[in-house]
Amino acid sequence: EVQLVESGGAVVQPGGSLRLSCAASGFTFDDHPMHWVRQAPGKGLEWVSVITWDGGTTYYADSVKGRFTISRDNNKNSLYLQMNSLRTEDTALYYCAKDRAKFGELLSFDYWGQGTLVTVSS
Amino acid sequence: SYELTQPPSMSVSPGQTASITCSGDKLGDKYASWYQQKPGQSPVLVIYLASKRPSGIPERFSGSNSGNTATLTISGTQAMDEADYYCQAWDSSTAVFGGGTKLTVL
């Protein structure tokens, strides 16, 4: 059974930093690209970032480019999101999601975690 | 930046067919996916590659994509299908979601 468990969400002040983690199990982690997707309270889904199977390529939404860094440790079956210079508009539930495709392709998000809540407030 | 447009809400009677549209420039040239999200739950993939169903998704869910519009069709809609539905596509290695459609079954 595929499981994705996020952690690291917290209340942080504007300008602060936070590191999110996602522990994956139940599939061959290093076969698949992995994503972060967020959802502000009462709002829709917003894609944040993706990292390819080997960590060699990353892409970001314009709204987080230069502030957030995605990474992965295939030895630990873990995905991370380093969030710096946080803004109030970054307040959201952050989901870790597995890509259905393998290796270099990007397709769709076939498994999602339960999310971890990040609140940016003074 | 690329945008996907969905109707904010729609309603359907039980047993009827619901068709949720998603519009974007040359969307038919891209692979559209659809997600269902019920209150308090994580999204679930219901359609990928425009028309393919993941295992475990009921046959009443189907998808199509042509021109500038992708469509999610739910045939014989059931009360359990009441949820928010989001379309998604890729543009220049960036994933884009539509704003979501709240489907009410009444």
Side-chain angles (χ1 to χ4, degrees):
Chain A
E1 178 193 6
V2 173
Q3 284 199 325
L4 299 170
V5 180
E6 303 94 337
S7 60
V11 178
V12 61
Q13 291 189 339
S17 298
L18 207 56
R19 189 194 196 205
L20 306 183
S21 299
C22 172
S25 61
F27 65 101
T28 304
F29 183 71
D30 55 8
D31 274 358
H32 295 272
M34 294 294 295
H35 304 263
W36 288 100
V37 179
R38 68 185 181 183
Q39 187 169 33
K43 303 297 185 181
L45 301 173
E46 181 187 14
W47 175 81
V48 173
S49 182
V50 62
I51 187 167
T52 51
W53 64 281
D54 61 351
T57 302
T58 58
Y59 298 105
Y60 298 91
D62 287 344
S63 57
V64 306
K65 201 173 296 183
R67 300 187 299 122
F68 290 9
T69 302
I70 191 172
S71 62
R72 65 190 296 162
D73 185 337
N74 287 345
N75 292 321
K76 295 183 178 179
N77 286 358
S78 293
L79 176 71
Y80 306 101
L81 186 67
Q82 178 65 43
M83 309 164 67
N84 298 331
S85 303
L86 283 161
R87 305 167 180 168
T88 55
E89 56 263 37
D90 294 320
T91 294
L93 187 63
Y94 284 73
Y95 293 104
C96 163
K98 169 186 168 290
D99 202 296
R100 184 180 176 88
K102 288 187 175 182
F103 307 122
E105 289 190 68
L106 299 174
L107 183 59
S108 54
F109 318 115
D110 63 348
Y111 288 94
W112 300 62
Q114 289 302 304
T116 187
L117 183 62
V118 173
T119 303
V120 184
S121 174
S122 54
Chain B
S1 61
Y2 193 75
E3 293 185 358
L4 294 174
T5 301
Q6 299 179 236
S9 63
M10 65 179 298
S11 61
V12 62
S13 299
Q16 298 303 302
T17 296
S19 295
I20 302 174
T21 59
C22 173
S23 300
D25 185 48
K26 297 179 182 178
L27 181 55
D29 295 340
K30 307 178 188 297
Y31 291 136
S33 299
W34 289 91
Y35 303 85
Q36 176 194 67
Q37 187 179 32
K38 297 181 180 180
Q41 298 184 17
S42 301
V44 172
L45 177 68
V46 294
I47 293 289
Y48 68 100
L49 288 174
S51 60
K52 296 187 179 296
R53 271 180 296 105
S55 61
I57 300 301
E59 290 184 7
R60 64 181 181 273
F61 289 87
S62 63
S64 63
N65 190 10
S66 179
N68 294 324
T69 303
T71 303
L72 172 69
T73 301
I74 310 173
S75 304
T77 307
Q78 301 182 9
M80 67 173 64
D81 300 329
E82 186 164 287
D84 293 328
Y85 291 87
Y86 296 90
C87 61
Q88 175 258 318
W90 285 95
D91 181 69
S92 301
S93 300
T94 298
V96 179
F97 286 97
T101 298
K102 182 178 183 60
L103 178 67
T104 301
V105 182
L106 46 71

